[in-house]
């Protein structure tokens, strides 16, 4: 947010600034006590313009500068640190070490925590409002935390415009590409745009970004990456012959042009760029902004092109986007999120909504997923898409996630205290959580505070997290597992390396992404892919849940192939806590799986119903099975209950005139064959291997799956099922 002096008095601005950013600054400064390489990196990535200095006796050293401060000064971090620490100097910046020491001394000696200073940046004088906090260490040295706000209403150019005609000056050239650089853009870019307006033309700012550059450098080395950037610079110069091409920052270029066919030129540049690149993830994207207001500064205009670029998101098929009302609204929402987040957190406008998970074997509710919802008193319900990515970018998402964990644990504790049956709840953790804090320690601390057993919380991690922070993730996953938590992979199949992730990371359950149910009724490939995923998961000993279930047809198919849990609007949308509790009282506990039976049904759910269920789940050489398969529960009174029958079993029952319910009665009252099943069950439970009997022309195979107190679960296959049905009826 940029605020100009004419809109506020200095006193009004200071009050507004301090009120809006007080908690952000306190959070940053308090967290500094836990300064580690990981937290240092997270502070450096902040969009807030922040510098941290240490003063010991008469020496002042710069400890770190944030991305926001580097952006303010238009310098790379290494360059800015060099200026601040006296290793470099430049006439275009008032950044000498002596100037920094004077500034720090001025702040440390001030009665107030805010002061206003004038500094020269890129040959423009800027008015900066600085807010500082001091912290004295045990050895007597002082830490000085300074965050900067550029009032920028009175920038004054201090170099002659004649230099504009000499872009070949070394200070205006990018060392790598030979193109003009950001220094030239900041000094003369606006003049170029205004001149074009004066000529009656419509200038356009195009910001290009190279995607997948990190992966390219990792694969081919940085020298090849430099050659790729040089190639792109040459392509842009050749394509935009009448425009101005600038090397902006690491992987970004800017084109100022009046070409009306700029979209065609962007597409041409993209085709030339990707030609010969084998890495499909390395590409270019563009953000476009029409410059129409001659009073608009270069930085403000460029920021809108940057917003248009960011609006393209991670969709590699979206080559460009023009700044429009949708972008403006999106980033307006971003500003709203950042300025109201702390209030929303304190007042619990952000709260969990709960979406039920259904056990396909029993039809009971076996758990919930806690999903963050922002219930704003002015704007209503904010979509997670509005605030999640913003908070991740600002490294604040861990505060939201931990608030959800806190509220979930409070709910579980209160329900247990009130005697309300409650099922385990899964909570989502962001990749950023693993970067900015010890997320295991934080979650476990909250759980212990509310005296909740760990099996009540399931940890969900997005598949995309695995490739971004693998080191931190492996360590945290090990801690979670050792403490008794289950870890679930969310959105399985949505990433580029799903199968490799299953090999490298130890998960307990995979949540199959809803994308596989898209066009389910009309695309038979969906069924093949889903069956293959479930079959593979069973062989790996992983539990399965499918998201996005919306129809009975989808639910029946997933149950048939042995997908253990189902989630989606077919059963319920995410609900606030009050509605969840109301449904529990309304439906009665018969609709809810007792938590003590979770492990029992989980063990039974690992039976592979797509291949021979008599063999171990990790045996790879299996054949597709056409035999009738059933899952049967034995109770303490030796009664048998059919929980599952497959399509082959159901078809033969229908041919014999039975429903699943009437057949269950038949096997319970058929004396000979009832006892025959009980004997096979007892044998398999004792030996932990399948028990087999061939008699009167049919063969029964029974395998023990799970046990809990007075109940046991078995899987059963029958060869020559028609003969078995006939004899069971006869012996009743």
């Amino acid at each position: 947010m940029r605020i100009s002096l004419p809109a506020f008095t200095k006193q009004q601005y200071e009050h507004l600034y301090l009120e809006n950013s007080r908690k952000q600054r306190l959070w940053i400064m308090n967290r500094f006590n836990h300064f580690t390489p990981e937290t240092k990196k997270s502070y450096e990535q902040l969009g807030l313009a922040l510098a941290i200095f240490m003063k010991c006796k008469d020496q002042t050293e710069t400890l770190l500068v944030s991305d926001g401060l580097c952006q303010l000064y238009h310098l790379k971090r290494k360059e800015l640190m060099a200026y601040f620490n006296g290793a470099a100097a430049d006439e275009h910046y008032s950044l000498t070490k002596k100037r920094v020491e004077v500034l720090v001394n001025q702040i440390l000696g001030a009665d107030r925590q805010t002061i206003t200073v004038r500094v020269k940046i890129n040959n423009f004088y800027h008015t900066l409002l600085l807010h500082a906090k001091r912290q004295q260490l045990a050895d007597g040295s002082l830490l000085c935390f300074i965050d900067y706000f550029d009032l920028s209403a009175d920038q004054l150019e201090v170099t002659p415009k004649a230099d504009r005609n000499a872009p070949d000056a070394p200070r205006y050239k990018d060392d790598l590409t030979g193109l003009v650089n950001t220094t030239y853009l900041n000094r003369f870019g606006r003049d170029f745009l205004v001149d074009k307006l004066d000529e009656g033309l419509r200038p356009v700012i195009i910001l290009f970004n190279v995607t997948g550059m990190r992966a390219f450098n990792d694969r081919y080395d940085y020298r090849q990456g430099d050659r790729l950037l040089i190639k792109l610079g040459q392509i842009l110069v050749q394509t935009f012959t009448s425009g101005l091409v600038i090397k902006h920052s690491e992987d970004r270029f800017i084109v100022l042009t009046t070409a009306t066919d700029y979209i065609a030129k962007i597409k041409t540049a993209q085709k030339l760029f990707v030609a010969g690149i084998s890495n499909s993830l390395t590409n270019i994207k563009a953000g476009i902004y029409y410059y129409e207001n001659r009073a608009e500064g270069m930085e403000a205009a460029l920021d809108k092109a940057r917003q248009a670029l960011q609006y393209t998101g991670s969709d590699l098929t979206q080559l460009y986007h023009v700044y429009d009302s949708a972008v403006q609204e999106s980033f307006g929402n971003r500003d709203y999120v950042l300025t109201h987040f702390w209030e929303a957190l304190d007042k619990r406008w952000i709260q969990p909504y709960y979406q039920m998970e259904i056990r396909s074997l029993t039809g009971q509710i076996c758990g919930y997923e806690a999903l963050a919802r922002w219930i704003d008193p002015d704007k209503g319900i904010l979509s997670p898409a509005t605030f999640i990515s913003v908070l991740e970018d600002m490294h604040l998402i861990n505060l939201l996630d931990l608030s959800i964990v806190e509220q979930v644990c409070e709910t579980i504790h209160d329900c247990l205290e009130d005697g309300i049956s409650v099922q385990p709840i899964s909570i989502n953790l962001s990749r950023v959580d693993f970067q900015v804090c010890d997320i295991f320690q934080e979650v476990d601390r909250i759980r212990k505070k509310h005296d909740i057993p760990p099996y009540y919380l399931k940890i969900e991690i997005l598949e995309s997290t695995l490739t971004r922070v693998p080191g931190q993730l492996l360590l945290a996953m090990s801690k979670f597992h050792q403490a008794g938590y289950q870890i679930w992979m969310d959105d399985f199949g949505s990433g580029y390396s799903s199968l490799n992730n299953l090999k490298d990371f130890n998960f307990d359950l995979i949540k199959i992404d809803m994308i596989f149910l898209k066009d389910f009724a009309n695309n038979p490939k969906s069924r093949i892919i889903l069956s293959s995923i479930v079959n593979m998961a069973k062989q790996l000993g992983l539990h399965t849940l499918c998201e996005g279930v919306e129809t009975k047809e989808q639910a029946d198919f997933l149950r048939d192939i042995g997908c253990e849990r189902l989630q989606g609007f077919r059963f319920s949308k995410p609900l606030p806590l009050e509605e969840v509790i109301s449904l529990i009282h309304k439906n009665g506990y018969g609709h809810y799986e007792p938590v003590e039976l979770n492990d029992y049904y989980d063990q039974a759910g690992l039976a592979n119903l797509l291949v021979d269920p008599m063999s171990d789940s990790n045996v790879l050489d299996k054949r597709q099975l056409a035999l009738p398969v059933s899952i049967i529960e034995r109770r303490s009174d030796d009664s048998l209950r059919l929980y599952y029958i497959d399509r082959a079993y159901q078809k033969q029952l229908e041919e014999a005139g039975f429903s699943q319910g009437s057949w269950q009665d038949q096997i319970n009252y058929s004396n000979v064959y009832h006892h025959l099943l009980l004997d096979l069950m007892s044998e398999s439970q004792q030996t932990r291997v399948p028990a087999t009997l061939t008699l009167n022309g049919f063969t029964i195979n029974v395998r023990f799956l799970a046990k809990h107190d007075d109940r046991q679960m078995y899987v059963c296959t029958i060869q020559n099922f028609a003969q078995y049905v006939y004899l069971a009826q006869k012996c009743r």
Side-chain angles (χ1 to χ4, degrees):
M1 180 186 296
R2 302 180 68 83
I3 303 176
S4 60
L5 282 175
F8 297 93
T9 66
K10 181 172 179 291
Q11 290 76 17
Q12 288 173 325
Y13 171 71
E14 288 180 2
H15 174 76
L16 175 67
Y17 175 68
L18 293 175
E19 183 64 26
N20 283 343
S21 63
R22 177 179 61 86
K23 292 185 178 179
Q24 289 97 319
R25 288 183 281 98
L26 286 177
W27 174 75
I28 293 169
M29 295 173 184
N30 290 336
R31 296 295 293 179
F32 190 79
N33 293 324
H34 306 285
F35 204 72
T36 65
E38 290 77 15
T39 52
K40 178 182 177 182
K41 183 177 180 181
S42 69
Y43 297 144
E44 288 178 338
Q45 293 175 345
L46 286 171
L48 181 71
L50 170 74
I52 303 178
F53 303 94
M54 175 177 283
K55 182 175 176 60
C56 184
K57 296 183 180 179
D58 295 329
Q59 297 295 318
T60 300
E61 292 295 329
T62 308
L63 298 183
L64 65 84
V65 293
S66 69
D67 285 347
L69 193 59
C70 294
Q71 184 177 357
L72 174 64
Y73 277 96
H74 306 291
L75 290 172
K76 295 180 180 179
R77 178 170 287 104
K78 185 181 294 185
E79 295 171 334
L80 186 55
M81 290 287 289
Y83 285 126
F84 275 9
N85 284 325
D90 192 306
E91 62 179 353
H92 307 295
Y93 298 88
S94 53
L95 295 178
T96 63
K97 182 174 177 63
K98 183 176 180 180
R99 181 73 177 93
V100 171
E101 290 176 346
V102 170
L103 178 63
V104 172
N105 289 334
Q106 184 180 1
I107 290 176
L108 292 177
D111 294 331
R112 303 181 62 188
Q113 289 186 320
T114 57
I115 64 171
T116 303
V117 297
R118 294 272 288 172
V119 298
K120 185 168 66 173
I121 301 174
N122 262 349
N123 288 306
F124 288 85
Y125 276 110
H126 292 239
T127 300
L128 302 182
L129 180 71
L130 309 185
H131 176 271
K133 181 177 179 180
R134 293 160 287 187
Q135 179 181 339
Q136 186 160 3
L137 303 181
D139 61 0
S141 58
L142 290 172
L143 288 179
C144 183
F145 304 79
I146 303 178
D147 48 350
Y148 297 63
F149 195 89
D150 186 4
L151 300 182
S152 295
D154 57 346
Q155 292 183 12
L156 176 65
E157 188 174 357
V158 294
T159 55
K161 286 192 176 181
D163 280 359
R164 176 183 171 190
N165 300 317
D168 291 334
R171 65 176 176 271
Y172 296 143
K173 274 203 168 185
D174 176 66
D175 293 336
L176 177 65
T177 63
L179 300 173
V180 292
N181 58 19
T182 304
T183 302
Y184 185 85
L185 174 71
N186 292 334
R187 293 187 62 193
F188 306 122
R190 180 174 172 275
D191 292 339
F192 176 92
L193 297 170
V194 170
D195 286 349
K196 298 304 178 184
L197 286 176
D198 291 341
E199 295 171 15
L201 301 173
R202 192 184 192 191
V204 178
I205 302 171
I206 308 174
L207 176 61
F208 287 92
N209 180 55
V210 182
T211 63
M213 198 65 199
R214 179 182 299 176
F216 186 92
N217 286 333
D218 289 344
R219 181 174 181 180
Y220 299 106
D221 77 39
Y222 282 88
R223 288 176 297 178
Q224 293 293 335
D226 287 346
R227 293 190 183 100
L228 191 66
L229 294 176
I230 293 171
K231 173 186 175 182
L232 177 57
Q234 294 170 345
I235 289 171
L236 294 177
V237 170
Q238 295 167 7
T239 306
F240 294 90
T241 53
S242 61
L244 180 62
V245 180
I246 303 107
K247 176 64 168 62
H248 178 47
S249 59
E250 295 176 350
D251 307 328
R252 294 190 171 189
F253 294 78
I254 295 170
V255 173
L256 307 183
T257 182
T258 57
T260 56
D261 60 343
Y262 64 88
I263 297 296
K265 291 182 182 296
I266 290 173
K267 293 179 179 179
T268 298
Q270 188 261 350
K271 289 179 181 178
L272 292 172
F273 177 72
V274 299
I277 300 177
S278 58
N279 181 359
S280 61
L281 298 182
T282 305
N283 211 320
I284 60 173
K285 305 184 83 172
I288 303 162
Y289 175 64
Y290 288 108
Y291 186 82
E292 297 173 329
N293 179 6
R294 66 181 60 250
E296 187 171 27
M298 189 68 237
E299 186 175 346
L302 183 57
D303 192 53
K304 291 173 182 174
R306 185 181 298 111
Q307 291 175 10
L309 174 63
Q310 292 176 356
Y311 194 78
T312 63
S314 58
D315 183 359
L316 298 179
T317 64
Q318 188 172 358
L319 175 59
Y320 62 88
H321 194 90
V322 179
Y323 183 87
D324 55 15
S325 58
V327 178
Q328 188 175 15
E329 180 182 359
S330 172
F331 282 85
N333 289 335
R334 178 186 179 90
D335 290 342
Y336 184 86
V337 167
L338 291 177
T339 54
H340 290 79
F341 172 63
W342 300 94
E343 183 180 9
L345 211 59
D346 288 344
K347 295 182 178 179
R348 288 200 170 176
W349 297 347
I350 301 174
Q351 55 191 253
Y353 270 40
Y354 299 90
Q355 187 171 31
M356 60 182 62
E357 299 161 356
I358 305 298
R359 178 83 64 182
S360 65
L361 188 65
T362 65
Q364 291 181 312
I365 298 168
C366 60
Y368 296 90
E369 180 181 7
L371 299 162
R373 294 292 184 266
W374 184 322
I375 316 301
D376 195 274
D378 296 324
K379 291 183 172 288
I381 299 179
L382 298 185
S383 164
T386 302
F387 58 88
I388 294 295
S389 61
V390 175
L391 297 176
E392 285 186 328
D393 290 343
M394 295 303 294
H395 285 197
L396 297 172
I397 191 68
N398 62 307
L399 302 179
L400 179 145
D401 288 342
L402 292 175
S403 175
I404 295 297
V405 173
E406 184 84 45
Q407 294 179 66
V408 166
C409 287
E410 287 177 5
T411 296
I412 295 174
H413 178 270
D414 292 345
C415 285
L416 294 176
E417 286 284 304
D418 295 339
I420 299 175
S421 176
V422 61
Q423 286 66 46
I425 298 174
S426 63
I427 54 175
N428 293 277
L429 298 183
S430 163
R431 60 178 174 80
V432 177
D433 296 342
F434 297 89
Q435 296 173 293
V436 301
C437 66
D438 185 339
I439 191 62
F440 163 74
Q441 183 178 350
E442 296 291 342
V443 171
D444 205 49
R445 174 186 59 79
I446 295 171
R447 177 191 65 80
K448 289 177 179 177
K449 181 177 77 172
H450 294 284
D451 195 24
I452 304 297
Y455 55 76
Y456 273 105
L457 292 180
K458 313 298 183 184
I459 308 300
E460 288 197 30
I461 300 172
L462 277 172
E463 184 184 3
S464 58
T465 302
L466 308 182
T467 56
R468 298 192 181 187
V469 286
Q472 299 99 313
L473 185 58
L474 282 170
L475 179 60
M477 287 178 66
S478 175
K479 292 179 180 179
F480 275 118
H481 272 138
Q482 290 174 13
Y485 296 87
Q486 280 194 13
I487 304 176
W488 296 2
M489 182 198 289
D490 196 11
D491 291 349
F492 174 80
S494 62
Y496 293 99
S497 53
S498 299
L499 299 181
N500 200 47
N501 290 332
L502 291 182
K503 174 177 67 71
D504 295 336
F505 295 90
N506 183 22
F507 286 94
D508 300 287
L509 177 145
I510 57 173
K511 297 188 72 173
I512 302 169
D513 192 82
M514 65 179 68
I515 192 173
F516 294 111
L517 291 178
K518 185 178 181 181
D519 199 27
F520 177 84
N522 302 316
N523 190 346
K525 294 179 182 179
S526 298
R527 300 169 187 262
I528 297 172
I529 294 171
L530 286 166
S531 298
S532 299
I533 292 173
V534 171
N535 180 35
M536 175 190 64
K538 304 281 188 183
Q539 294 185 7
L540 293 173
L542 296 173
H543 299 288
T544 51
L545 181 154
C546 191
E547 301 175 293
V549 181
E550 296 184 350
T551 67
K552 183 178 185 300
E553 181 186 12
Q554 294 170 348
D556 289 345
F557 171 78
L558 291 165
R559 186 177 190 274
D560 286 344
I561 64 174
C563 183
E564 298 169 63
R565 299 175 184 233
L566 311 177
Q567 181 181 351
F569 280 24
R570 163 73 181 167
F571 311 103
S572 173
K573 64 181 181 180
L575 299 172
L577 177 62
E578 297 76 16
E579 292 187 34
V580 172
I581 299 298
S582 176
L583 281 175
I584 292 175
H585 291 310
K586 177 182 177 181
N587 295 333
Y589 292 141
H591 289 79
Y592 300 86
E593 178 178 293
V595 69
E596 61 270 17
L597 293 180
N598 259 193
D599 287 343
Y600 171 68
Y601 287 122
D602 279 348
Q603 291 176 44
L606 288 175
N608 196 340
L609 306 177
L610 293 168
V611 294
D612 186 359
M614 294 300 126
S615 58
D616 291 335
S617 62
N618 60 355
V619 174
L620 298 180
D621 185 18
K622 293 187 173 186
R623 299 178 181 178
Q624 291 296 116
L625 195 68
L627 293 176
V629 178
S630 62
I631 293 180
I632 306 175
E633 185 178 69
R634 178 181 182 178
R635 297 289 178 89
S636 59
D637 60 357
D638 286 338
S639 63
L640 302 177
R641 180 178 178 182
L642 275 173
Y643 270 101
Y644 168 89
I645 59 174
D646 69 355
R647 295 290 178 90
Y649 203 122
Q650 184 176 0
K651 180 180 179 182
Q652 297 206 31
L653 279 183
E654 290 173 352
E655 290 175 354
F658 286 98
S659 66
Q660 182 173 331
S662 62
W663 178 245
Q664 178 176 289
D665 293 338
Q666 179 71 37
I667 60 175
N668 274 302
Y669 292 113
S670 176
N671 293 328
V672 174
Y673 290 96
H674 179 248
H675 288 292
L676 185 151
L677 277 173
L678 294 180
D679 290 343
L680 291 173
M681 289 175 175
S682 297
E683 179 184 342
S684 181
Q685 183 192 355
Q686 291 172 5
T687 62
R688 291 299 196 269
V689 296
T692 302
L693 176 68
T694 300
L695 180 69
N696 296 331
F698 64 86
T699 300
I700 299 181
N701 299 282
V702 174
R703 182 182 175 213
F704 171 78
L705 297 177
K707 181 180 187 302
H708 178 79
D709 291 343
D710 63 343
R711 57 181 72 195
Q712 303 148 26
M713 197 75 78
Y714 298 85
V715 61
C716 175
T717 63
I718 303 176
Q719 294 177 341
N720 198 354
F721 186 78
Q723 176 70 3
Y724 174 72
V725 172
Y726 169 74
L727 292 173
Q729 288 179 286
K730 187 176 179 181
C731 295
R732 180 170 178 173

